[in-house]
Amino acid sequence: MDSRLEAVRDTVLARNPGEKEFHQAVIEVFESLGPVHDRHPEFLEGAVLERLCEPERQIIFRVPWTDDAGRVHVNRGFRVEFNSALGPYKGGLRFHPSVYLGIVKFLGFEQIFKNALTGMPIGGGKGGSDFDPRGRSDAEIMRFCQSFMTELYRHIGEYTDVPAGDIGVGGREIGYLFGQYKRITNRYESGVLTGKGISWGGSLVRPEATGYGTVIFAQEMLKTRGQSFDGQRVVVSGSGNVAIHAIAKAQFLGATVVACSDSAGYIVDEAGIDVALLSQVKEVERGRLTDYAARRPGSNHVAGGSVWDVTGTVALPCATQNELDGDAAAKLVSNGLIAVAEGANMPSTRSAVSVFQEAGILFGPGKAANAGGVATSALEMQQNASRDSWSFEHTEQRLTEIMVGIHDRCAATADEYGAPGNYVVGANIGGFVKVADAMLAQGLI
Ligand code: GLU
């Protein structure tokens, strides 16, 4: 890495101690940026990177709530408003016990570049809580969401900051959050949240968008080598919103998805995963993959272990950060892998990415490959702003165009900066240059 970048990086790491996921995300971006600074000395002079790594605003707040037995709990809420050079802060809320400032900052930092790559007018932000929704009743989830919004409402707005879902936050939670926002502000401000229900301002295709987009991105990568999803054997991690729709799209394009996972283990289903059953078990019943295996003849459940032990030609990590390490990557490569597209945010460790790249595997990093979710959120904002709602076909067409555009921009940027085929370099530089130009144009802010 360039010594000037190294100095900035070291300052950022020292200034944000203990935030290891944020460090990882920063290091990964800096490693791509050397050639940009050779061509654009104005970025260094304007201290763009120093500014980019310091969020514009960070909010941490108390979230008290009562469980069904009347006991009081206290969680911590976060919203990191990272960068508004290109539009209002935009990014999801994650409810998971692992959430702390370092996770929210890594996600918010990645979101800046991801959102820039979509070509839509959205800045970067992220939020969430260390609240664990698992095993909680609907009433408990509602009380938690209402308490969370009772602080968050003062920081967000359709022109300011537009949260959405992420792990642990789906349509149900967005509904409770929106209801509380409306109640406190006395405004039906549709554009304040995305991922809303279809009858009250949501967009068709938003639930499918991240998973579909990841597969569309992977399909574009495969095309560069004269291949497609048809006939591929696909391994997916996770079994939530992103995974389910990635599986559906990959199978629609002719692949067989033979495995997916949850935190207790994974299933192998050689006939191809039954998406309707998976969705029923995970989304309707909020059950476990053991329930899927019990109801699906020919499938089997493996408790614990790693889904990456399953042989496949395409891997779609759609669970969470750092779920695929160097050893898992080496195993996938020796089992005949040709492509990886990240449906989750930073699911591959830095050593896994090196293994893939050294082996010449097509590798689509999350900030490009999973941008379809937030891009469709931006389409939801457009529909809200014009009080319109688009058909499924039209919205899916827009999503496809956006994903193909992101793919092509990453590929062209990688070529331009001397790293053909390297989508990590393409995504990092493509996203960065757009944000950096806007920051310089807007003066020292
Ligand atoms: N949480 C998603 C992401 O990681 C979606 C964010 C949004 O729709 O605002 O990009």
Side-chain angles (χ1 to χ4, degrees):
M1 189 187 301
D2 187 295
S3 64
R4 296 159 308 175
L5 292 181
E6 244 168 38
V8 180
R9 178 203 62 192
D10 291 346
T11 308
V12 173
L13 302 194
R15 204 167 188 194
N16 298 281
E19 298 175 1
K20 64 181 194 322
E21 296 81 4
F22 178 52
H23 292 185
Q24 184 182 341
V26 166
I27 291 167
E28 191 245 303
V29 169
F30 275 49
E31 278 174 348
S32 302
L33 295 183
V36 181
H37 287 84
D38 295 340
R39 278 194 214 182
H40 294 280
E42 71 274 17
F43 292 160
L44 275 176
E45 282 150 27
V48 170
L49 267 177
E50 288 91 326
R51 288 194 269 151
L52 201 57
C53 291
E54 185 68 19
E56 291 177 17
R57 192 176 297 106
Q58 308 182 55
I59 302 142
I60 303 181
F61 52 99
R62 178 170 70 201
V63 189
W65 58 282
T66 50
D67 66 21
D68 288 342
R71 261 193 315 271
V72 175
H73 299 255
V74 176
N75 284 98
R76 189 169 285 178
F78 301 88
R79 187 74 184 166
V80 173
E81 298 180 334
F82 228 117
N83 192 291
S84 62
L86 299 179
Y89 311 107
K90 182 83 197 85
L93 299 170
R94 176 176 293 191
F95 292 170
H96 190 271
S98 64
V99 168
Y100 76 107
L101 190 58
I103 293 272
V104 182
K105 280 171 67 179
F106 118 65
L107 291 165
F109 186 70
E110 294 249 306
Q111 202 84 44
I112 303 169
F113 305 98
K114 183 196 307 192
N115 294 4
L117 284 171
T118 65
M120 318 290 284
I122 42 179
K126 203 86 184 193
S129 174
D130 58 1
F131 171 68
D132 186 357
R134 181 169 303 167
R136 291 294 172 194
S137 69
D138 277 359
E140 289 173 324
I141 298 286
M142 182 178 75
R143 287 195 295 276
F144 178 80
C145 289
Q146 289 177 336
S147 181
F148 187 85
M149 185 54 84
T150 300
E151 172 58 35
L152 187 69
Y153 88 93
R154 65 186 91 243
H155 307 290
I156 63 175
E158 75 173 301
Y159 297 109
T160 315
D161 184 356
V162 183
D166 195 82
I167 294 171
V169 178
R172 172 181 61 169
E173 291 74 17
I174 294 295
Y176 296 146
L177 291 164
F178 183 74
Q180 184 72 352
Y181 182 85
K182 179 162 63 78
R183 184 189 197 193
I184 296 172
T185 60
N186 194 32
R187 282 165 62 86
Y188 203 110
E189 190 184 330
S190 301
V192 70
L193 289 167
T194 61
K196 299 180 294 294
I198 199 64
S199 61
W200 44 277
S203 174
L204 289 168
V205 193
R206 179 63 190 86
E208 294 85 358
T210 312
Y212 278 21
T214 301
V215 170
I216 296 166
F217 190 92
Q219 174 95 334
E220 292 305 302
M221 291 198 301
L222 288 165
K223 277 188 199 164
T224 64
R225 298 204 178 155
Q227 288 170 307
S228 75
F229 262 98
D230 198 20
Q232 303 292 349
R233 182 182 159 92
V234 180
V235 179
V236 172
S237 64
S239 48
N241 167 270
V242 180
I244 289 172
H245 295 103
I247 294 168
K249 188 72 167 180
Q251 297 201 143
F252 176 78
L253 293 175
T256 306
V257 182
V258 294
C260 69
S261 62
D262 64 15
S263 56
Y266 62 92
I267 48 162
V268 179
D269 190 343
E270 290 289 343
I273 286 169
D274 177 340
V275 179
L277 176 61
L278 182 65
S279 165
Q280 170 68 25
V281 166
K282 297 298 290 191
E283 296 186 307
V284 180
E285 299 170 18
R286 297 181 193 277
R288 311 291 298 164
L289 286 177
T290 42
D291 305 324
Y292 176 97
R295 275 142 71 176
R296 170 80 168 165
S299 72
N300 81 53
H301 182 264
V302 180
S306 166
V307 72
W308 307 122
D309 290 343
V310 180
T311 303
T313 52
V314 177
L316 304 174
C318 298
T320 195
Q321 67 275 349
N322 292 329
E323 50 154 314
L324 199 172
D325 63 15
D327 291 342
K331 183 146 205 177
L332 283 165
V333 170
S334 67
N335 283 341
L337 188 77
I338 59 168
V340 181
E342 295 185 326
N345 292 311
M346 207 169 74
S348 309
T349 63
R350 291 178 59 229
S351 65
V353 178
S354 308
V355 169
F356 292 140
Q357 291 185 329
E358 276 157 30
I361 305 290
L362 292 164
F363 177 75
K367 59 171 81 73
N370 74 36
V374 76
T376 308
S377 279
L379 299 180
E380 182 172 333
M381 292 162 72
Q382 284 188 18
Q383 292 168 76
N384 294 153
S386 57
R387 300 188 186 280
D388 196 0
S389 64
W390 304 342
S391 69
F392 194 95
E393 293 67 29
H394 175 69
T395 316
E396 193 183 19
Q397 181 58 30
R398 292 287 308 266
L399 168 63
T400 304
E401 287 161 11
I402 291 166
M403 293 313 300
V404 172
I406 294 172
H407 171 274
D408 293 353
R409 217 164 305 130
C410 289
T413 307
D415 282 348
E416 187 187 335
Y417 284 87
N422 187 333
Y423 293 93
V424 173
V425 165
N428 287 338
I429 296 185
F432 173 76
V433 169
K434 191 155 188 218
V435 178
D437 278 339
M439 287 174 73
L440 286 183
Q442 292 171 25
L444 189 57
I445 49 169

